[in-house]
Amino acid sequence: MVATVRMPRHVFYGKDSFKRVGEETALLGKKALIISDKIMEQLGYVTECKTYLEGANVDHVTYLDIDSEPTDQYVNASLHLLQNEACDVVIALGGGSCIDTAKAVVVLATNGGDISDYMNGKTIAKKKALPLLAVPTTAGTGSEATDVTVITNTTNDVKMMIKQPAFMPEVAIVDPVLTVSSPRGITAATGIDALTHAIEAYISRKAQPFTDTLALSAIQLIVENIRESYYNGENLEARGKMAYGAMLAGAAFSNSSVCLVHGMSRPIGALFHVPHGISNAMLLPAVLEFSQATCTNRLAHIGRLLFSDVADLNDEAVAVRVVDEIKQLCLDLKIPNLKGWGIDQQAFDLVLEKMAQDALTSGSPANNPRVPTEAEIVGLYKTCYDYQFLPQRTASR
Ligand code: NAD
């Protein structure tokens, strides 16, 4: 097998790396479109970005209308602005929603068509995208280091996962200072998203040695720093390790894959507007229990890396311990189940089959160590609706 590795051309990370955005943009274009949102503006990040651009003599315009999970409408509106203003470089400043919108814009700007044309490889972007500098403000999606964009198609309520080399940013700037303002709920949701990326990349049928290294490092960094980032968000060291871990996790799954959790999570986001990281967390323990027997050795390897007191346990017991740790994390970070989030059971039951079909169509479940049938996915959705995150703590030797 020939394994492929794709990464951004340049990665800058660490405290104050954001200050590089002006000079790096100047190397790539003359007029930048900043794709961001109103919260980033309120926090002063957009003004800071403009200051750096002006210091490097780069002209700029802003699109700030992203409001959480991105849709084709945000993509079309910001593309329109880019074309009207003749911008030749794009900066995404924000969470995965801003970065994913920007990825779609830079590809459509040179390759044309509608973003839905690129779903499932119907159209392949052959022309080089406009240069994109991705500046994440959440330690979560890792989108700054992936060739993936996730955009909701508003005509059929499908969250399209589109993966092609052209969607890889040219530059990633990962400055943990920008994540310190992230409130607890967002820190929890985005942190568990990153953990899910790393775990799924590691147990995926598409895992390869390079992604194993990234994924295991990411799992350790995230598990060791997520609670501190949640409870003590000012701790820049913990935030830095989370930002780094999330980027590694993104690079891991982009070169391996995500699996069943992500496949099932996107339809929940599209239909019930649950933030992506929260819906991942709602599914992760139950889906790992479903998959456990087919990836015991890999889960046990994760457990032996994380826990110092499992040397005497067999692999099955260590795998159970890993799932227990994730359940405990969900409890500590106050992750609700689907019922607790307020999703009406009747409304949920009505769309179970659509969600299962959309999950399968995305292709992600086929990468899972245990490949589910449509009926098994429906069964898992039912299990997760009122799932209790109760650790077993009964691991046998
Ligand atoms: P997000 O971008 O939707 O942001 C969530 C909220 O947090 C927004 O209101 C935003 O303004 C706010 N926020 C962001 N940073 C903040 C900060 N530092 N301080 C205060 N508030 C802040 O959340 P996300 O989880 O980063 O991105 C989710 C999207 O990314 C989903 O659409 C998901 O499907 C997608 N995604 C993409 C990839 C990929 O590889 N392309 C991977 C995983 C997820």
Side-chain angles (χ1 to χ4, degrees):
M1 168 186 136
V2 176
T4 309
V5 177
R6 290 195 181 90
M7 298 284 289
R9 189 182 294 267
H10 303 285
V11 175
F12 302 93
Y13 72 97
K15 182 173 175 294
D16 293 336
S17 50
F18 186 33
K19 293 182 178 165
R20 297 285 291 263
V21 73
E23 61 198 269
E24 293 306 319
T25 307
L27 295 173
L28 297 167
K30 289 188 165 43
K31 185 168 184 181
L33 170 63
I34 304 171
I35 296 184
S36 192
D37 68 29
K38 297 201 171 67
I39 292 177
M40 300 299 107
E41 189 184 36
Q42 282 159 21
L43 289 165
Y45 298 162
V46 175
T47 304
E48 193 180 341
C49 187
K50 288 179 184 172
T51 306
Y52 297 138
L53 291 176
E54 284 155 20
N57 293 318
V58 179
D59 202 0
H60 51 78
V61 288
T62 50
Y63 178 83
L64 299 177
D65 286 344
I66 312 285
D67 181 17
S68 206
E69 313 270 307
T71 67
D72 44 11
Q73 290 167 350
Y74 300 141
V75 171
N76 294 339
S78 43
L79 178 62
H80 191 64
L81 180 62
L82 175 132
Q83 287 165 337
N84 278 352
E85 294 284 339
C87 297
D88 55 1
V89 57
V90 175
I91 299 167
L93 174 61
S97 296
C98 295
I99 299 175
D100 283 6
T101 304
K103 287 177 167 183
V105 168
V106 292
V107 168
L108 294 182
T110 53
N111 286 271
D114 186 84
I115 190 60
S116 59
D117 301 337
Y118 295 81
M119 170 98 176
N120 288 339
K122 271 180 289 164
T123 301
I124 303 286
K126 297 205 176 95
K127 292 185 191 152
K128 197 169 168 13
L130 284 187
L132 170 64
L133 297 94
V135 187
T137 60
T138 56
T141 69
S143 181
E144 68 276 10
T146 78
D147 59 3
V148 172
T149 185
V150 185
I151 305 289
T152 298
N153 184 336
T154 49
T155 53
N156 60 6
D157 279 337
V158 169
K159 224 174 145 178
M160 302 177 288
M161 198 278 282
I162 303 171
K163 179 170 166 48
Q164 295 185 21
F167 291 96
M168 179 65 79
E170 179 89 1
V171 176
I173 298 181
V174 183
D175 188 337
V177 175
L178 297 172
T179 67
V180 168
S181 54
S182 178
R184 278 196 181 159
I186 291 170
T187 301
T190 53
I192 292 217
D193 186 26
L195 181 62
T196 310
H197 291 154
I199 293 174
E200 292 212 294
Y202 188 63
I203 63 172
S204 167
R205 289 167 175 252
K206 291 188 175 158
Q208 42 144 318
F210 184 87
T211 58
D212 286 351
T213 306
L214 296 177
L216 289 173
S217 292
I219 290 168
Q220 191 161 17
L221 283 162
I222 295 164
V223 170
E224 289 176 0
N225 291 283
I226 191 169
R227 288 180 178 87
E228 178 63 12
S229 296
Y230 178 81
Y231 288 113
N232 184 14
E234 298 289 315
N235 183 333
L236 192 58
E237 193 184 335
R239 291 287 197 179
K241 287 181 177 166
M242 284 298 295
Y244 180 53
M247 176 177 63
L248 295 185
F253 91 76
S254 183
N255 289 291
S256 167
S257 81
V258 284
C259 305
L260 182 54
V261 174
H262 273 78
M264 289 178 61
S265 178
R266 289 182 214 105
I268 296 174
L271 293 171
F272 298 103
H273 309 291
V274 180
H276 178 68
I278 301 279
S279 54
N280 279 346
M282 289 165 164
L283 301 167
L284 183 59
V287 171
L288 283 180
E289 281 168 339
F290 171 82
S291 310
Q292 198 170 305
T294 51
C295 56
T296 305
N297 57 341
R298 291 231 143 201
L299 289 176
H301 193 80
I302 293 172
R304 295 191 195 287
L305 188 74
L306 294 179
F307 311 121
S308 55
D309 58 349
V310 294
D312 294 341
L313 298 183
N314 63 30
D315 277 2
E316 286 74 17
V318 182
V320 169
R321 177 79 185 274
V322 170
V323 181
D324 269 3
E325 167 66 15
I326 293 165
K327 291 181 193 173
Q328 188 59 52
L329 189 58
C330 290
L331 290 173
D332 292 349
L333 303 189
K334 305 197 170 34
I335 303 288
N337 58 30
L338 290 150
K339 185 178 178 188
W341 183 262
I343 295 175
D344 175 67
Q345 178 140 27
Q346 261 188 325
F348 190 68
D349 288 348
L350 269 177
V351 292
L352 282 172
E353 278 168 21
K354 171 180 167 49
M355 290 199 297
Q357 284 156 12
D358 289 350
L360 284 170
T361 305
S362 76
S364 300
N367 303 321
N368 206 56
R370 177 175 170 193
V371 179
T373 61
E374 185 181 319
E376 284 171 330
I377 295 180
V378 168
L380 275 167
Y381 277 129
K382 287 182 179 166
T383 303
C384 290
Y385 182 76
D386 197 12
Y387 188 87
Q388 302 302 310
F389 299 110
L390 292 177
Q392 288 186 32
R393 297 278 181 246
T394 53
S396 58
R397 283 170 192 248

